[in-house]
């Protein structure tokens, strides 16, 4: 859960690096893909974030609900691509 601790401390780049290490061994880990997506949102890299969110959602519908409730995505709630992913 190191990536989540780094995220909560605002160390988004470090959290992404941690996510990348996990994804090297488990490239389709939905939780880590979602966490990495949140980090990219905090860095205002919306396209990268949505690409990762889409991958996470492909591993479980629970990530749609998580994204809708997450503070990370509140700035793009009206984004058409985001809406298509979570609805």
């Amino acid at each position: 859960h190191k990536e989540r601790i780094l995220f909560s401390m605002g160390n988004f780049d470090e959290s992404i690096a941690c996510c990348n290490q996990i994804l090297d061994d488990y490239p389709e880990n939905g939780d880590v893909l979602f966490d990495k997506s949140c980090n990219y949102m905090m860095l205002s890299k919306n396209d990268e974030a949505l690409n990762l969110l889409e991958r996470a959602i492909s591993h479980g519908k629970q990530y749609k609900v998580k994204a809708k409730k997450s503070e990370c995505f509140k700035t793009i709630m009206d984004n058409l691509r985001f809406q298509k992913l979570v609805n």
Side-chain angles (χ1 to χ4, degrees):
H1 301 288
K2 182 178 177 181
E3 81 274 3
R4 291 181 183 159
I5 293 167
L6 290 166
F7 176 86
S8 68
M9 294 171 56
N11 296 335
F12 307 119
D13 288 319
E14 289 180 57
S15 181
I16 289 169
C18 187
C19 289
N20 288 339
Q21 286 182 332
I22 298 167
L23 292 170
D24 283 344
D25 292 330
Y26 306 98
E28 299 307 317
N29 183 313
D31 288 323
V32 177
L33 290 167
F34 184 86
D35 291 345
K36 187 175 175 182
S37 176
C38 288
N39 280 291
Y40 275 113
M41 279 304 304
M42 299 309 289
L43 294 171
S44 299
K45 296 182 178 182
N46 298 357
D47 289 335
E48 293 94 331
L50 291 174
N51 290 340
L52 288 161
L53 178 60
E54 185 172 17
R55 282 180 59 199
I57 290 170
S58 75
H59 296 288
K61 303 270 188 234
Q62 71 270 26
Y63 300 109
K64 288 183 177 197
V65 175
K66 245 179 128 170
K68 286 183 201 179
K69 294 181 179 182
S70 174
E71 287 291 313
C72 300
F73 296 100
K74 72 177 184 175
T75 61
I76 63 164
M77 289 290 177
D78 294 333
N79 177 291
L80 186 57
R81 182 173 176 210
F82 178 78
Q83 286 296 317
K84 286 181 180 180
L85 286 174
V86 299
N87 290 322

